[in-house]
Amino acid sequence: MERPEQGLGEPDSHPRANGCSLTGHGALRNGYVRGLPEAETQIHHITHNGGLYKRPFNEAFEETPMLVAVLTYVGYGVLTLFGYLRDFLRQWKIEKCHHASEREEQKDFVPLYQDFENFYTRNLYMRIRDSWNRAICSVPGAKVDMLERLSHDYNWTFAYTGRVIKDVINMGSYNYLGFAQNTGICKEAAAKVLTQYGAGVCSTRQEMGNLDKHEELEKLVARFLGVEAAMTYGMGFSTNSMNIPALVGKGCLILSDELNHASLVLGARLSGATIRIFKHNNMQSLEKLLKDAIVHGQPRTRRPWKKILILVEGIYSMEGSIVRLPEVVALKKKYKSYLYLDEAHSIGALGLTGRGVVEYFGLNPEDVDVMMGTFTKSFGAAGGYIGGKKELIDYLRTHSHSAVYATSLSPPVMEQILISMKCIMGEDGTTFGKDCVQRLAENTRYFRRRLKEMGFIIYGNEDSPVVPLMLYMPAKIGAFGREMLKRNIGVVVVGFPATPIIESRARFCVSAAHTKEILDTVLKELDEVGDLLQLKYSRHRLVPLLDRPFDETTYEETED
């Protein structure tokens, strides 16, 4: 096999790391150079193989400041020590034990509740449990109504007061295009279909659950994606977890991004195929695995792999990053492998007409072998789909567990998808859908730019509506969620083990339903909370350059 000197693209005089140009000042982490001398303050993030890209591709993952990382580890250490102390007090009945445990008469049995495995839940998670599972009692639009609740035993149990907190600004729902609403043509059409078809189908597609609406929806999805055929499913999670095992099995190789969603991970594990992980969005790591797979073949036997399947997402929901799809497609073609693309967060949210990451990069849908997505986000509904060649869809109709055994989509839900998708495509005779896509793009760039100007560390791509704001320290996870709710803003906070231990964050989801006034209100409150909790960790300031090169983002080091 010919060994390329530079991997993909044109030769470069600079070595590269993670798709970015090294300038000779030490290692990179996602585009940031460490250890710059004072005389050279410019930091360049250049997309690897820019010739493959037809548009700017700007992503940033600023490195955790050393002091913040140390204090975060210290914080978790203190919490762990106090956790062991409290477990000791519980063991001697000094402190009341609320967590699940075996009865005395079962103490000689195999333990049902592993004590040590629940340590984090008992002693760390319970301290900030009030930040999650809040009940809302309205449509998840730009604003929501939330049920007030109190805890009298340090978050072990909650009691609802009966009071409703009105008009909480919703910065956590995946309502990217604003179709999750109880007014308008989507609601009216869904109500009409509910009257005609009822709420449920009570059967699988292969038996009595195949309605004319299913056929209509699948034809529309195929046209929307630009593929030969499509198939819909009642649940987005099972679209991944139940279809991947139908596509690959023993003797096949799956190459999966390290930050792929749990549904992709579960599907890969259930398939029985060999799984190898490549670093997030790192094309050098992926290409090395592809080379090794072809050169060495299967373990022990050295036979060629039956199939090599690459699993990636369009937008990664915890990082806010966008897959480097042009490079993935180039590698897939070069090494004759298959590509499975999960567009759960990117369909509707990216691209000039909302057709996802494939349109965003100006690629041909035929370059992606399996196009998966969900209706739960941009379309304000439920379920998922897979699109591709007609042979692929015909195969899945008879071999996918999700198609053969699962109840088919509810008729009102299908109508919600049909109407919202026709709006995005402009087939409703208006520009409402196109305006929503455009407004989302504008809101996303505005919100990200303002947060960076304030000094917050923001992860991800500048066009991603998923905006992670780094909190780092465990005590600030709960404090941030509570302070924002005091200001009538609902946010999602995420910590270990869902993220690396020193990378706790708040995750904002920007929506087309957010007006500029709403975003300005959120930004104003964020500025105050950021000062209160000392969250403005960024040491880089965005430098606006009118003549910025096509695939380049420039940052300037500032004094701490």
Side-chain angles (χ1 to χ4, degrees):
M1 180 189 299
E2 183 180 352
R3 182 173 178 268
E5 293 297 321
Q6 294 293 333
L8 294 174
E10 300 174 358
D12 193 346
S13 59
H14 299 295
R16 294 182 180 268
N18 197 20
C20 306
S21 178
L22 284 176
T23 55
H25 301 295
L28 273 172
R29 185 192 185 277
N30 293 300
Y32 285 94
V33 185
R34 293 197 295 269
L36 281 172
E38 290 183 8
E40 194 160 328
T41 60
Q42 296 295 318
I43 299 176
H44 296 284
H45 176 187
I46 303 172
T47 302
H48 176 54
N49 194 7
L52 288 174
Y53 291 80
K54 300 176 183 178
R55 58 171 300 124
F57 187 77
N58 304 322
E59 279 191 354
F61 295 86
E62 186 175 335
E63 189 176 22
T64 306
M66 180 60 72
L67 178 61
V68 174
V70 170
L71 291 176
T72 302
Y73 279 118
V74 170
Y76 276 107
V78 170
L79 285 171
T80 303
L81 288 174
F82 271 91
Y84 279 114
L85 174 61
R86 295 185 70 183
D87 278 356
F88 175 79
L89 296 177
R90 290 172 186 139
Q91 184 178 356
W92 290 96
K93 312 298 183 186
I94 300 173
E95 181 179 330
K96 187 176 180 182
C97 179
H98 294 278
H99 65 87
S101 58
E102 290 78 14
R103 293 183 295 178
E104 281 297 319
E105 56 267 30
Q106 291 180 319
K107 62 182 180 179
D108 294 327
F109 289 23
V110 175
L112 180 62
Y113 306 103
Q114 291 293 335
D115 221 26
F116 184 76
E117 291 176 8
N118 292 326
F119 179 86
Y120 180 86
T121 302
R122 290 194 307 274
N123 299 300
L124 281 79
Y125 168 71
M126 280 299 166
R127 292 172 176 267
I128 53 175
R129 186 175 170 228
D130 59 306
S131 299
W132 293 281
N133 304 316
R134 292 171 177 151
I136 67 170
C137 50
S138 67
V139 172
K143 294 183 178 181
V144 296
D145 297 336
M146 187 178 296
L147 294 179
E148 185 183 58
R149 63 181 183 179
L150 297 174
S151 177
H152 302 288
D153 53 5
Y154 303 101
N155 296 337
W156 285 96
T157 61
F158 292 98
Y160 289 100
T161 64
R163 176 174 170 261
V164 176
I165 307 173
K166 295 283 189 179
D167 296 327
V168 177
I169 296 175
N170 180 9
M171 295 301 297
S173 295
Y174 307 130
N175 183 27
Y176 296 133
L177 295 182
F179 283 112
Q181 54 190 359
N182 56 3
T183 58
I185 58 173
C186 289
K187 172 253 183 181
E188 293 167 3
K192 185 178 178 180
V193 167
L194 178 63
T195 304
Q196 181 180 354
Y197 289 88
V201 181
C202 303
S203 183
T204 66
R205 292 286 298 277
Q206 292 193 346
E207 295 168 348
M208 296 294 292
N210 190 31
L211 305 180
D212 56 343
K213 287 290 179 183
H214 290 104
E215 303 286 345
E216 180 186 356
L217 177 59
E218 289 178 349
K219 289 177 183 176
L220 183 66
V221 171
R223 274 200 299 119
F224 182 66
L225 298 176
V227 296
E228 292 180 8
M231 185 172 182
T232 58
Y233 303 87
M235 182 181 179
F237 191 96
S238 65
T239 305
N240 277 333
S241 60
M242 293 290 101
N243 281 294
I244 293 174
L247 297 172
V248 291
K250 191 175 181 181
C252 300
L253 175 65
I254 292 176
L255 302 180
S256 178
D257 189 290
E258 66 179 344
L259 296 183
N260 273 341
H261 189 261
S263 59
L264 290 168
V265 174
L266 179 60
R269 289 175 177 172
L270 291 174
S271 71
T274 300
I275 305 169
R276 290 177 185 161
I277 309 300
F278 62 91
K279 293 178 182 178
H280 175 55
N281 243 354
N282 189 315
M283 296 303 106
Q284 286 72 28
S285 176
L286 175 58
E287 184 167 20
K288 183 179 185 302
L289 290 178
L290 283 166
K291 282 182 181 179
D292 291 345
I294 292 172
V295 171
H296 301 296
Q298 298 184 43
R300 294 192 301 274
T301 65
R302 301 303 179 192
R303 292 176 181 172
W305 296 99
K306 294 177 182 177
K307 298 174 191 173
I308 299 178
L309 181 66
I310 302 171
L311 297 183
V312 293
E313 295 185 49
I315 292 178
Y316 291 85
S317 60
M318 281 297 173
E319 304 299 308
S321 54
I322 297 175
V323 64
R324 295 176 179 271
L325 193 60
E327 297 176 66
V328 176
V329 168
L331 286 174
K332 167 236 170 185
K333 290 179 178 179
K334 181 177 179 180
Y335 293 99
K336 305 297 187 291
S337 55
Y338 296 96
L339 176 58
Y340 186 110
L341 174 63
D342 179 348
E343 289 220 73
H345 287 268
S346 55
I347 194 69
L350 289 181
L352 190 62
T353 60
R355 283 168 168 81
V357 72
V358 176
E359 182 187 49
Y360 177 80
F361 286 113
L363 300 175
N364 189 336
E366 293 183 358
D367 291 336
V368 181
D369 301 287
V370 185
M371 295 183 69
M372 177 272 172
T374 66
F375 303 122
T376 55
K377 299 168 180 70
S378 293
F379 303 97
Y385 67 81
I386 282 185
K389 297 285 187 184
K390 187 176 183 301
E391 295 83 358
L392 168 70
I393 302 305
D394 290 343
Y395 173 82
L396 289 176
R397 289 191 194 279
T398 56
H399 290 80
S400 166
H401 285 76
S402 197
V404 177
Y405 300 110
T407 303
S408 48
L409 270 169
S410 167
V413 172
M414 283 189 288
E415 192 67 13
Q416 166 77 20
I417 302 165
L418 282 165
I419 300 301
S420 57
M421 191 172 289
K422 286 177 181 177
C423 282
I424 297 170
M425 298 169 73
E427 294 186 3
D428 62 336
T430 71
T431 61
F432 177 74
K434 184 179 179 181
D435 293 342
C436 286
V437 174
Q438 180 64 31
R439 196 179 313 119
L440 174 64
E442 292 171 357
N443 286 351
T444 296
R445 285 183 172 245
Y446 174 72
F447 192 67
R448 281 183 166 273
R449 178 174 59 80
R450 288 290 308 278
L451 288 176
K452 287 180 181 177
E453 289 172 356
M454 290 177 189
F456 294 104
I457 293 182
I458 304 299
Y459 274 9
N461 192 287
E462 66 177 16
D463 290 323
S464 169
V466 178
V467 186
L469 184 152
M470 305 311 293
L471 304 175
Y472 297 113
M473 300 177 194
K476 294 184 180 181
I477 301 172
F480 182 81
R482 293 169 193 141
E483 287 296 329
M484 294 301 288
L485 188 58
K486 283 180 186 176
R487 292 162 170 78
N488 240 38
I489 300 171
V491 299
V492 172
V493 289
V494 191
F496 180 81
T499 65
I501 194 166
I502 64 166
E503 292 188 4
S504 301
R505 64 198 67 179
R507 184 184 64 182
F508 299 97
C509 291
V510 182
S511 171
H514 292 140
T515 62
K516 187 173 184 295
E517 290 72 24
I518 289 176
L519 292 180
D520 285 339
T521 299
V522 174
L523 289 164
K524 176 178 175 293
E525 300 297 344
L526 274 172
D527 196 22
E528 291 182 10
V529 174
D531 291 332
L532 177 67
L533 301 181
Q534 298 183 4
L535 296 174
K536 298 176 180 179
Y537 301 114
S538 180
R539 295 173 295 177
H540 301 97
R541 179 167 55 86
L542 188 64
V543 179
L545 294 178
L546 298 178
D547 57 345
R548 182 182 298 166
F550 201 51
D551 286 326
E552 183 174 330
T553 302
T554 307
Y555 288 85
E556 183 178 83
E557 287 264 321
T558 56
E559 292 291 333
D560 286 344

